[in-house]
């Protein structure tokens, strides 16, 4: 396949979807055709593009290459690679399955699909002796999948963690940097093309959970699916929390954490408070950063643009190049989950927490709350009390504690008549808890 004469080696591609990423992939291939030909020895042509409605005028590509019928791509014997950029479970799953069954290679950025039905697709690709590549599904332009699959084979990884959602990182950064309102920051993220077509995927942490399932599967060679990842999003993080965090020299980030506890694995997504001098604290806007920690490598941090049309398109093209230059599908190509691992229970994880509570401004309230925590072996590290109009506000930071004990205490706290707000705790990273 890898010939140096690109004029005789033409590769035809079917592109599914012409949205934020799809249109950028088309333009990137057009603009960088010479570079791609030099790197692969092949000239690449996007022969057909699947869209929902061909009547919609589109400036970038000639109208005759658009189709609204997937069979036009599937049945075209010249098309050897299909790039899926429509997102969602169906019909993406059906299109990818049929493409692989027809022996076509596939590139996709669809983390929701991969984290729920990826293992079926990887198995099918192996059976059909073809490839499925998905660099763009995690951390945008950062080549973390390639690094995990190739460079970390002997790294004996113990944890993979970081910021893997650009939209929420952009929102939290803007709220913290400029005091922007949550809604305005989200609208900007949508305008910039960072958000999913349904942005609740981003906000609720589900997008990050899907990416962590993919990363954990590759890092630890075991099947981790979306359902195995507990996730908390940023919907309860308020500008008040952000400003308290600033006063405590902390910053709020949505973290994804996949970690081994002995021979068990735990994978989660949650908002966390981290020290301002931690490298993750400086990762702002739609940037992502992933830490890889292993017995043979100490720690490696990869960071860069985690979302956006052109950034993601560059990762799609990198997959295209690796498919063309290497036509041999190996076990690692297709994410062999070659071992089974038990999951380490969330309840047993030790974490530090921050908690802001609105309480009645009366004598004895603090003592009542402190007693509930004490009864559950939860130890308070610091408390700030502020008057906030009708109520008092307590901002508490706790010493590292077993999560089950903390949750049990919180349930009791929520039942107290003195407590006027729903308790939404935020983990505090970087001070003697499990990631460090
Ligand atoms: P998008 O802008 O919403 O584009 C999706 C495109 O697919 C739309 O143009 C849509 O057409 C089309 N489409 C949907 N269903 C279709 C169908 N059944 N047949 C034909 N076309 C269909 O989304 P995107 O941001 O490009 O994301 C595409 C994929 O990349 C998703 O899996 C996403 O998770 C992933 N991704 C995105 C980013 C990013 O920064 N945007 C980064 C990494 C990964 P209509 O316009 O008619 O709806
Ligand atoms: N919506 C995703 C994000 C796109 O904001 O990170 C990149 O996967």
């Amino acid at each position: 396949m890898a010939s140096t004469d690109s004029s005789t080696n033409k590769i035809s591609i079917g592109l599914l979807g012409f949205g934020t990423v799809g249109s950028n992939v088309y333009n990137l291939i057009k603009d960088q055709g010479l570079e791609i030909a030099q790197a692969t020895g092949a000239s690449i042509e996007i022969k057909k593009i699947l869209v929902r409605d061909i009547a919609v005028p589109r400036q970038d590509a000639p109208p005759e290459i658009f189709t609204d019928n997937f069979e036009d791509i599937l049945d075209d014997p010249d098309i050897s690679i299909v790039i899926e950029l429509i997102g969602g479970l169906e019909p993406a799953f059906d299109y990818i399955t049929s493409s692989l069954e027809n022996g076509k290679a596939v590139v996709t950025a669809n983390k929701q699909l991969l984290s729920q039905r990826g293992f079926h697709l990887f198995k099918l690709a192996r059976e059909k002796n073809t490839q499925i590549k998905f660099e763009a599904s995690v951390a945008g332009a950062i080549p973390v999948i390639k690094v995990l699959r190739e460079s970390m084979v002997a790294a004996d990884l113990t944890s993979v963690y970081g910021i893997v959602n650009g939209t929420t990182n952009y929102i939290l950064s803007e709220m913290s940097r400029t005091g922007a309102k949550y809604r305005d920051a989200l609208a900007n993220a949508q305008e910039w093309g960072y958000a999913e077509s349904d942005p609740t995927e981003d906000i609720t942490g589900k997008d990050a959970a899907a990416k962590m399932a993919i990363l954990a599967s590759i890092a630890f060679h075991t099947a981790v699916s979306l359902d195995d990842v507990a996730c908390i999003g940023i919907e309860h993080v308020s500008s008040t929390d952000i400003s308290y965090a600033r006063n405590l020299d902390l910053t709020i980030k949505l973290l994804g954490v996949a970690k081994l506890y002995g021979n068990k694995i735990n994978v989660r997504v949650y908002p966390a408070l981290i020290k301002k001098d931690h490298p993750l604290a400086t990762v702002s806007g739609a940037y992502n950063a992933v830490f890889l920690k292993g017995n043979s490598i100490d720690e490696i941090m990869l960071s860069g643009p985690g979302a956006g049309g052109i950034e993601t398109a560059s990762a799609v093209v990198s997959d295209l190049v690796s498919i063309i230059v290497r036509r041999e599908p190996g076990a690692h190509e297709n994410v062999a989950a070659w071992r089974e691992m038990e999951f380490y229970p969330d309840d047993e994880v030790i974490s530090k927490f921050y908690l802001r509570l609105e309480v009645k401004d009366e004598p004895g309230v603090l003592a009542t709350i402190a007693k509930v925590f004490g009864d559950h072996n939860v130890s308070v590290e610091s408390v700030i009390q502020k008057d906030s109009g009708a109520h008092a506000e307590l901002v508490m930071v706790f010493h590292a504690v077993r999560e089950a004990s903390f949750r049990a205490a919180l349930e009791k706290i929520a039942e107290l008549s003195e407590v006027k707000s729903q308790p939404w705790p935020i983990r505090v990273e970087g001070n003697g808890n499990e990631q460090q």
Side-chain angles (χ1 to χ4, degrees):
M1 172 59 72
S3 144
T4 47
D5 180 4
S6 57
S7 61
T8 56
N9 195 4
K10 185 163 134 193
I11 294 190
S12 297
I13 288 166
L15 178 61
L16 315 184
F18 201 65
T20 307
V21 184
S23 58
N24 274 288
V25 165
Y26 180 83
N27 286 323
L28 200 58
I29 289 175
K30 203 169 66 179
D31 296 346
Q32 301 294 319
L34 189 59
E35 281 73 8
I36 297 170
Q38 291 296 340
T40 61
S43 75
I44 293 180
E45 160 206 54
I46 302 245
K47 192 173 179 193
K48 288 180 185 138
I49 303 176
L50 181 75
V51 290
R52 260 201 274 245
D53 182 359
I54 48 171
V56 173
R58 293 172 180 91
Q59 283 175 350
D60 294 329
E64 63 274 13
I65 71 170
F66 288 97
T67 175
D68 56 7
N69 182 3
F70 173 65
E71 311 293 316
D72 287 346
I73 290 173
L74 186 66
D75 297 338
D76 187 330
D78 289 344
I79 292 181
S80 57
I81 302 177
V82 170
I83 303 178
E84 182 277 306
L85 294 169
I86 61 179
L89 294 187
E90 290 293 357
F93 179 72
D94 179 38
Y95 293 166
I96 294 179
T97 307
S98 323
S99 301
L100 294 171
E101 271 166 356
N102 272 22
K104 298 183 196 296
V106 170
V107 177
T108 178
N110 193 332
K111 52 256 159 155
Q112 287 302 340
L113 177 59
L114 290 169
S115 64
Q116 292 174 71
R117 304 192 197 162
F119 290 95
H120 174 87
L121 297 174
F122 305 141
K123 186 164 168 273
L124 182 61
R126 270 200 303 279
E127 282 165 10
K128 296 292 171 185
N129 201 31
T130 185
Q131 299 179 69
I132 177 166
K133 294 265 184 186
F134 47 91
E135 185 65 69
S137 65
V138 181
I142 309 170
V144 61
I145 305 278
K146 195 176 175 70
V147 167
L148 276 176
R149 280 168 151 187
E150 295 179 12
S151 315
M152 295 295 137
V153 165
D156 195 12
L157 292 173
T158 52
S159 68
V160 176
Y161 66 98
I163 297 165
V164 291
N165 182 269
T167 301
T168 47
N169 202 49
Y170 176 83
I171 293 172
L172 293 174
S173 303
E174 287 299 286
M175 286 171 73
S176 168
R177 194 177 63 85
T178 66
K181 293 212 167 17
Y182 168 85
R183 289 275 145 219
D184 296 340
L186 172 59
N188 283 346
Q190 288 177 289
E191 200 174 314
W192 283 101
Y194 304 150
E196 294 302 299
S197 51
D198 174 3
T200 55
E201 296 271 325
D202 298 292
I203 304 306
T204 57
K206 211 173 153 201
D207 177 84
K211 291 166 177 169
M212 289 311 299
I214 296 169
L215 285 183
S217 300
I218 301 170
F220 303 121
H221 317 296
T222 191
V224 179
S225 72
L226 183 62
D227 288 344
D228 300 317
V229 186
C231 77
I232 303 171
I234 64 160
E235 60 272 51
H236 301 297
V237 175
S238 69
S239 47
T240 316
D241 292 320
I242 288 175
S243 108
Y244 276 125
R246 198 180 301 119
N247 292 342
L248 293 163
D249 241 6
L250 298 166
T251 187
I252 301 188
K253 296 287 179 191
L254 185 72
L255 292 192
V257 179
K259 185 172 160 60
L260 291 187
Y261 292 83
N263 56 3
K264 293 185 183 172
I265 181 172
N266 184 276
V267 191
R268 302 204 283 174
V269 169
Y270 50 80
L273 287 162
I274 51 178
K275 282 268 179 206
K276 283 243 165 72
D277 58 5
H278 190 284
L280 285 175
T282 59
V283 176
S284 57
Y287 268 51
N288 285 185
V290 182
F291 275 91
L292 310 175
K293 211 169 171 179
N295 291 323
S296 326
I297 56 159
D298 194 1
E299 193 162 64
I300 288 173
M301 175 178 168
L302 303 167
S303 79
I310 186 71
E311 296 84 350
T312 309
S314 87
V316 170
V317 171
S318 80
D319 275 348
L320 212 51
V321 168
S322 47
I323 283 177
I324 295 166
V325 298
R326 197 171 59 201
R327 276 286 177 165
E328 293 299 314
H332 285 268
E333 283 301 323
N334 294 321
V335 190
W338 50 263
R339 62 177 170 180
E340 275 185 25
M341 291 178 88
E342 272 182 54
F343 286 92
Y344 188 79
D346 294 346
D347 273 357
E348 299 303 323
V349 176
I350 309 285
S351 298
K352 278 185 73 160
F353 286 94
Y354 153 104
L355 180 69
R356 181 168 56 85
L357 284 176
E358 270 185 41
V359 297
K360 276 189 190 163
D361 198 0
E362 288 174 2
V365 171
L366 184 54
T368 306
I369 289 170
K371 180 167 184 327
V372 174
F373 282 119
D375 288 348
H376 289 83
N377 280 327
V378 178
S379 163
V380 178
E381 184 182 284
S382 67
V383 185
I384 306 169
Q385 179 167 346
K386 291 212 167 169
D387 210 346
S388 84
H391 300 127
E393 197 161 48
L394 294 180
V395 177
M396 312 177 85
V397 177
F398 298 87
H399 287 292
V401 59
R402 191 174 148 264
E403 189 148 333
S405 311
F406 190 69
R407 298 270 166 218
L410 275 193
E411 273 180 31
K412 293 281 175 216
I413 294 283
E415 289 166 6
L416 293 175
S417 61
E418 293 89 340
V419 172
K420 295 294 162 199
S421 63
Q422 186 67 23
W424 293 113
I426 301 177
R427 278 181 192 78
V428 180
E429 301 286 333
N431 256 334
N433 82 358
E434 82 278 7
Q435 258 84 259
Q436 298 308 300

